[in-house]
Amino acid sequence: MNRREFYRNSSLLGMGLMAGNSVFGRELSISSDPAFYTEAARKLPVRQFDVVVAGAGTAGVIAAIASARQGARTILVEAKGYPGGVAVEGGTALHSFYNLWKAFPGVKKRQLVRGIPAEMVDRLTARGGATGYAEMMKHYEYDAVCTAIDTEKYKLNAFEMLDEAGVYVCVNTLLAGVIREKKEVKGVILESRSGREAIYARSFVDCTGYGDLAAHAGAEFTEPNDYAVVNSMGLANVDIERYFHFLNSSDSVGQLAYGPRDGVPGQIVRLGSEGSNGYPDDFVQGAREIGMSAISTTVHDDYLMFIKLNLKLSQSPTDRDTVAKAELELRKRMQTGVELFNKYIPGFERAFISRTSPNLVIRRGRLVTCDYDITHEDVINGRHFEDDVFVYGFHDMAPKFQIKDGGSYGIPYRALCVKGISNLYASGMMITSDHRAHMSTRNTVSCMGQGQASGTAAALCALNDYDSRGLPFRKLRDELEENGVYFES
Ligand SMILES: Cc1cc2nc3c(=O)[nH]c(=O)nc-3n(C[C@H](O)[C@H](O)[C@H](O)COP(=O)(O)OP(=O)(O)OC[C@H]3O[C@@H](n4cnc5c(N)ncnc54)[C@H](O)[C@@H]3O)c2cc1C
């Protein structure tokens, strides 16, 4: 067969495939419209579980542990090679397990978030991977405690807890599709180097941050694009004491907490100025141009865990090509950022970038519509609901917005039930449409609390044959209390 005959036959075969003659190989299914390629149907191997948790990030790790501990056969699907999510790639510290007691004299100090999230942090602290609940000495009208982490120990700690709970953990695996029948999700399609496969289950929890499962399932969502995206770098070779004295010499220390560093208690673990106070003008100008925030935390000598570089995108972070440009821009910004530190800030002369996030991170991508949308008033008025699944007391816009009287508000069960779908929960940064309310509910410790609630609920539904709206709330609440969750109503 010569070249011309080959191409003519190929295109005829392609037309045959379009007409349904799938006996020919997939590689020949070229449509007559050169702008499209039609994938041939494929027979996928099927596996059966009780609960699928998508995304092994901040919320997903806790959801999967909670589900497996209920006795549900639980699979956790994660695109990266490790669990942890934005908790190990984005922020300053885990905000926050306590109420804002110090900002409200006379208010009782309470640990609001307990259960599996606290168990995880306590275990991490015991192995030198977190500061525990170090009290804020400055800026305590914003946060009561500082729970700083070692990102690498956090990943290992999470991995081990998942393994001990008996979760079937699929890392390096993308959730690429959903099998839906009427209002029910029947299964998900996974893609990895082992191939494509279908996973059937009874209950599903979307903890992908981006709402990938819900979007594939046809759930309602929006893409607010109301935050900057970020890459954050760890800086090594930093003299933290000299940095402190530099800020302190102009009375500019704005954020400060002491805790264990490399096993030695009473060390600086959180440090930053208030705004740009104390920094040289050229540094401030340069930092502003690259969206750099210098507040950081550490659990090690000579090291700062997170210096953030922010970039506002013109389009939602679900747009691949916009994100590709941003990935490059953020890497340029990180290099400029460390050079600014080298040049202007005492203690950073020989600092270098020792850690970056594998990809840019987001504060939200898709916002998934659930049965209830937590409002700004609910948060700041400290509202509790008859179906609270845990309580929370941190607001990232404090002191402008705080929870009334340094108390707590409740996250209702309904806020986790994806609208229009009978067996799908959403947890993490993807709930709460009001930007100001989201500035509270999106924080790590809230995401973890949501994870314990949705993972427990998903397991109870799968094991007892309920859909998410049929689950008797008392049963869920009893299980949550039994497993350490704290309530205030
Ligand atoms: C720059 C930055 C700084 C922040 N600072 C703080 C702070 O100091 N304190 C604080 O408390 N909060 C902070 N936050 C907020 C908080 O970290 C996040 O809101 C929270 O961690 C989100 O958790 P999540 O579980 O919703 O998502 P993630 O933790 O992002 O988890 C989602 C997981 O799903 C995986 N995934 C996504 N899609 C798929 C798919 N299709 N298939 C398989 N896996 C998939 C991802 O790889 C990821 O591991 C910050 C956020 C950002 C972006």
Side-chain angles (χ1 to χ4, degrees):
M1 193 189 299
N2 64 31
R3 247 168 95 87
R4 189 176 296 163
E5 281 167 343
F6 172 78
Y7 283 122
R8 202 189 59 228
N9 286 347
S10 296
S11 95
L12 283 174
L13 288 172
M15 284 162 70
L17 264 179
M18 293 296 288
N21 296 332
S22 57
V23 287
F24 302 109
R26 290 179 60 243
E27 68 275 13
L28 296 179
S29 60
I30 297 167
S31 144
S32 54
D33 180 347
F36 290 94
Y37 170 77
T38 305
E39 279 192 273
R42 276 190 270 177
K43 207 172 187 177
L44 304 183
V46 167
R47 302 186 67 162
Q48 185 82 47
F49 285 85
D50 296 318
V51 173
V52 170
V53 178
T58 317
V61 165
I62 307 289
I65 293 170
S67 169
R69 285 186 184 175
Q70 287 292 322
R73 289 170 303 154
T74 305
I75 182 171
L76 176 62
V77 184
E78 169 55 47
K80 292 176 194 150
Y82 55 84
V86 181
V88 298
E89 292 159 2
T92 304
L94 306 182
H95 293 146
S96 179
F97 287 85
Y98 279 74
N99 67 322
L100 215 52
W101 86 92
K102 250 179 133 173
F104 293 84
V107 164
K108 204 169 150 229
K109 175 179 179 181
R110 282 117 69 197
Q111 181 169 353
L112 300 178
V113 180
R114 305 182 191 180
I116 302 173
E119 182 189 330
M120 199 162 103
V121 164
D122 293 344
R123 185 166 157 162
L124 188 60
T125 303
R127 71 197 304 171
T131 57
Y133 312 108
E135 195 172 313
M136 289 291 284
M137 308 311 291
K138 284 189 181 261
H139 214 49
Y140 50 74
E141 57 293 324
Y142 165 81
D143 193 5
V145 295
C146 170
T147 303
I149 57 163
D150 174 317
T151 55
E152 304 317 303
K153 284 186 178 163
Y154 188 104
K155 293 172 192 171
L156 177 62
N157 199 58
F159 234 140
E160 286 177 349
M161 285 181 70
L162 288 162
D163 194 42
E164 287 163 21
V167 176
Y168 188 85
V169 181
C170 298
V171 286
N172 303 309
T173 303
L174 186 72
L175 181 134
V178 165
I179 303 158
R180 178 176 163 176
E181 213 176 85
K182 296 185 180 146
K183 292 188 165 188
E184 194 182 347
V185 175
K186 290 285 187 189
V188 291
I189 310 283
L190 307 186
E191 182 109 48
S192 72
R193 289 190 186 89
S194 296
R196 232 166 126 85
E197 59 189 320
I199 306 293
Y200 293 166
R202 311 289 301 272
S203 302
F204 297 80
V205 188
D206 188 344
C207 296
T208 60
Y210 285 86
D212 281 8
L213 201 169
H216 280 304
E220 233 177 67
F221 66 83
T222 55
E223 300 190 45
N225 191 24
D226 54 346
Y227 289 96
V229 297
V230 174
N231 201 320
S232 75
M233 56 183 179
L235 292 186
N237 240 359
V238 173
D239 186 332
I240 294 170
E241 268 60 43
R242 274 188 67 214
Y243 180 34
F244 170 76
H245 289 303
F246 163 70
L247 289 177
N248 203 34
S249 64
S250 58
D251 203 18
S252 299
V253 176
Q255 296 203 13
L256 184 65
Y258 294 99
R261 219 170 66 197
D262 285 325
V264 180
Q267 309 295 305
I268 293 169
V269 292
R270 178 158 170 174
L271 183 59
S273 85
E274 194 65 72
S276 57
N277 293 350
Y279 295 110
D281 289 346
D282 286 348
F283 179 86
V284 172
Q285 176 62 25
R288 195 167 289 143
E289 282 165 14
I290 56 171
M292 183 164 72
S293 153
I295 304 285
S296 192
T297 51
T298 187
V299 295
H300 295 297
D301 295 338
D302 311 324
Y303 186 62
L304 287 181
M305 197 61 77
F306 295 110
I307 301 285
K308 283 173 274 189
L309 289 302
N310 290 276
L311 174 67
K312 186 73 184 72
L313 300 184
S314 56
Q315 293 191 53
S316 165
T318 57
D319 184 79
R320 185 199 58 192
D321 294 343
T322 305
V323 166
K325 289 197 180 81
E327 297 280 14
L328 170 61
E329 176 58 25
L330 285 167
R331 293 206 175 265
K332 287 182 183 167
R333 290 183 179 208
M334 285 191 277
Q335 192 52 44
T336 308
V338 70
E339 286 166 11
L340 284 170
F341 271 104
N342 292 153
K343 188 167 176 190
Y344 292 110
I345 311 297
F348 287 82
E349 292 82 353
R350 296 179 56 246
F352 63 91
I353 301 174
S354 56
R355 185 201 60 76
T356 65
S357 304
N359 45 247
L360 60 76
V361 289
I362 56 165
R363 292 179 171 96
R364 69 168 148 195
R366 295 191 188 91
L367 164 66
V368 175
T369 310
C370 292
D371 287 358
Y372 185 75
D373 190 10
I374 298 165
T375 69
H376 177 55
E377 287 67 34
D378 293 340
V379 171
I380 59 170
N381 292 332
R383 182 169 174 199
H384 289 273
F385 302 83
E386 65 282 3
D387 60 344
D388 278 359
V389 284
F390 70 102
V391 301
Y392 192 57
F394 176 82
H395 201 304
D396 216 356
M397 292 173 90
K400 186 174 177 193
F401 298 124
Q402 292 163 317
I403 287 73
K404 192 176 167 191
D405 300 331
S408 71
Y409 66 95
I411 303 279
Y413 174 66
R414 290 163 281 164
L416 308 179
C417 297
V418 175
K419 188 178 163 193
I421 302 190
S422 61
N423 60 342
L424 175 60
Y425 298 95
S427 284
M429 66 171 98
M430 69 184 84
I431 69 160
T432 314
S433 69
D434 185 302
H435 183 90
R436 296 160 305 172
H438 188 254
M439 286 292 275
S440 177
T441 65
R442 74 178 170 86
N443 286 280
T444 47
V445 181
S446 163
C447 294
M448 291 173 173
Q450 293 172 45
Q452 180 160 1
S454 57
T456 307
L460 289 175
C461 287
L463 297 174
N464 298 288
D465 209 13
Y466 299 118
D467 68 22
S468 53
R469 282 144 196 107
L471 172 66
F473 179 70
R474 194 64 245 175
K475 200 174 172 72
L476 173 61
R477 169 98 181 222
D478 287 348
E479 268 321 308
L480 292 172
E481 282 184 277
E482 179 84 6
N483 289 284
V485 178
Y486 170 74
F487 291 90
E488 298 211 315
S489 62

